[in-house]
Amino acid sequence: MNIQVSKNIHFNRHLANVKNILLASILTVTGTSAFAMNSFYQKTLFNPSDSMLKAESRGRIMIYDSMDNETVERAMDEQFDRIDNMMFVRTHYVQANGDHYVDDDGCD
C-alpha cells in the first residue's frame, strides 16, 4: 500500500470519529438539561476518568458547549497537557456591566 492511500485511510478514520463525536454531542445536548451537561463538562474537564484519558491519548476530541469563560480559562491553565483534545463552542462571557453574551463565532 502506498503512503498516500495509507494517509487517506488514516484521515478518513479521524473524520469518522469527529462525525460520531459531533452526533453524540448533538443527541446528548438535545436530550439533557443544560445543568446536567454543565455538570458533566465540569467533571470531564477537571476530573477525567481513566477511560476518557485513554480515549484522548488515541485522539478523541471533547467538545464543550456553552461553558463560562472563567471555566474555560481555568481548564486551559489546569489541564494544559490535554488542550489538544478540547474544543470550546458558544462560550459565555460576562461583560463589565454584568450582562452575559455568547460567543457565536464557532469555537475558541
Side-chain angles (χ1 to χ4, degrees):
M1 182 176 344
N2 71 32
I3 294 174
Q4 186 61 39
V5 171
S6 179
K7 285 182 181 180
N8 286 343
I9 291 170
H10 185 72
F11 174 78
N12 288 336
R13 283 186 192 151
H14 282 294
L15 185 59
N17 287 338
V18 169
K19 287 179 185 177
N20 289 337
I21 291 168
L22 287 173
L23 179 59
S25 297
I26 291 168
L27 293 174
T28 301
V29 169
T30 58
T32 308
S33 72
F35 176 77
M37 283 308 299
N38 197 15
S39 176
F40 169 76
Y41 289 151
Q42 291 279 339
K43 181 180 177 190
T44 304
L45 267 173
F46 300 110
N47 299 303
S49 65
D50 289 338
S51 61
M52 175 58 82
L53 293 173
K54 286 178 185 175
E56 287 179 356
S57 72
R58 292 188 306 269
R60 180 177 184 173
I61 305 296
M62 182 67 184
I63 301 169
Y64 299 92
D65 186 11
S66 301
M67 302 290 292
D68 291 335
N69 77 307
E70 293 89 4
T71 303
V72 172
E73 290 182 25
R74 179 178 161 217
M76 295 290 185
D77 290 338
E78 294 179 14
Q79 303 296 321
F80 185 79
D81 56 329
R82 296 175 53 222
I83 288 175
D84 288 344
N85 301 92
M86 299 176 185
M87 180 179 193
F88 298 94
V89 297
R90 295 189 295 185
T91 302
H92 291 229
Y93 292 87
V94 179
Q95 295 177 325
N97 65 3
D99 289 342
H100 290 255
Y101 77 93
V102 176
D103 182 9
D104 255 347
D105 72 351
C107 59
D108 294 335

